[in-house]
Amino acid sequence: MTDKKICAVLLAAGNGSRMKSDVKKQFIEINELPLFCYSAKVLSQIDEIDRIILVTSTSDIAYVREVIKRHNIQKIYDVVPGGDRRQDSVKNAVDTIPEYYEHVLIHDSARPFVKKEDILNVIRNGVEFNCSFLGVKVKDTIKSIDEKGFVTSTPDRDFLVSVQTPQVVKLDVIKKGLEQFHDKTFTDDAGVMEAMGVKTKITFGSYSNIKITTPDDLKYLKDLI
Ligand code: CTP
Ligand code: MG
C-alpha cells in the first residue's frame, strides 16, 4: 500500500429519476440517517483516506452540510456542486483536489452496502495498477441485442463482470481524461481511464454492494445498519 493518503469523492448529485421518489434517493432516510451518510461513514473509517469531497446539487449543499454536521460524519473536507452528467460531477470534484494526492477514490452514494475490506482491496489495486474498480462476475448469461431485440452476440460469461464503485484512479490521468473526452459520455470512471489508454483491472468485491436504483431496490434498505 502507498504511504500517501487517498482523497475520496462521494457522488450525491444525481436526480434519481429511475427511483421516482419524492425525496432524491440519496436523501431517503433509513433509521433517521439519509442514505448518502452510510457510505460516507464507511469511507471515513478507512485510514488510507484522509479527506472526502462530497458532491451534490447546488440547491442541496446547505442541507448536506447540515446533515454531516448533525451526524458528526468525519473527514468531509468540502461539499461541491455537481454537474449534469455523473462525469461532470466527478470533474467538479477532482478539479478541486490538490496535486499532492496521486490517487482518488470515487464512490456512488447510491451504494450504501460497500464493505471496508473491499474498499481496502480496491485501493491496493488502484495504487498498484493506476486504475481498479470493484466488480463481480455476472451470474446471468449476457447477450448483445439490436434495436429490434434480435441478438447480435452472446459473449462468454466467464469473461464478463458487473462493475461497481468504488473505483480508484490516478488523479492527473482522470483530470486530463475528463477534459479531453468531454464530448463522450462515460458510465464509470474506469471508462475514462481506458479512453486514456490505461489498462484497468477489476478488484473482485461483493454481490451485496448493489446500487439503489429503482423502487424495487428499496426493500434492501431495511438491511442497512
Ligand atoms: N450522480 C452524480 N451526478 C450526476 C449523476 C449521478 O453525482 N449528474 C451520482 C448519483 O447521485 C449516484 C451515482 O452518481 O450516487 C450513480 O448514478 P445513478 O445511480 O445513475 O443515480 P442517478 O443519476 O441519481 O439516478 P437516475 O440515473 O435514475 O436518474
Ligand atoms: Mg444516473
Side-chain angles (χ1 to χ4, degrees), residues 67-87:
V67 167
I68 54 186
K69 201 168 160 201
R70 180 155 41 97
H71 294 283
N72 195 24
I73 295 175
Q74 303 295 303
K75 299 189 188 172
I76 307 288
Y77 180 80
D78 203 357
V79 185
V80 303
D84 287 346
R85 301 169 298 175
R86 183 185 178 282
Q87 73 206 65

Side-chain angles (χ1 to χ4, degrees), residues 79-220:
V79 185
V80 303
D84 287 346
R85 301 169 298 175
R86 183 185 178 282
Q87 73 206 65
D88 301 319
S89 294
V90 172
K91 187 172 191 310
N92 287 358
V94 294
D95 284 349
T96 71
I97 302 175
E99 272 171 37
Y100 160 81
Y101 288 96
E102 286 179 14
H103 296 88
V104 53
L105 175 149
I106 303 163
H107 185 58
D108 296 339
S109 67
R111 293 186 190 271
F113 294 103
V114 65
K115 292 181 191 166
K116 208 175 156 182
E117 191 193 330
D118 290 335
I119 300 176
L120 291 174
N121 287 337
V122 75
I123 289 177
R124 199 171 297 116
N125 279 335
V127 168
E128 185 174 349
F129 301 106
N130 290 325
C131 176
S132 190
F133 52 87
L134 283 183
V136 287
K137 285 208 157 189
V138 301
K139 293 182 187 175
D140 295 320
T141 294
I142 307 284
K143 291 182 187 290
S144 288
I145 53 168
D146 63 20
E147 321 74 58
K148 294 197 169 115
F150 290 104
V151 172
T152 52
S153 68
T154 304
D156 184 347
R157 190 170 60 189
D158 284 346
F159 296 97
L160 289 175
V161 293
S162 187
V163 173
Q164 309 170 343
T165 68
Q167 305 205 348
V168 175
V169 295
K170 195 140 183 293
L171 178 62
D172 56 346
V173 183
I174 190 89
K175 272 178 143 171
K176 242 183 251 163
L178 287 167
E179 186 107 39
Q180 196 170 319
F181 294 100
H182 180 269
D183 295 341
K184 198 170 146 48
T185 296
F186 297 93
T187 52
D188 76 337
D189 312 294
V192 181
M193 300 297 279
E194 287 149 29
M196 290 294 283
V198 174
K199 260 188 120 170
T200 72
K201 193 173 198 291
I202 188 168
T203 298
F204 286 101
S206 307
Y207 286 98
S208 56
N209 184 25
I210 57 159
K211 182 154 69 77
I212 302 297
T213 308
T214 55
D216 263 14
D217 299 326
L218 292 175
K219 62 176 179 284
Y220 299 112

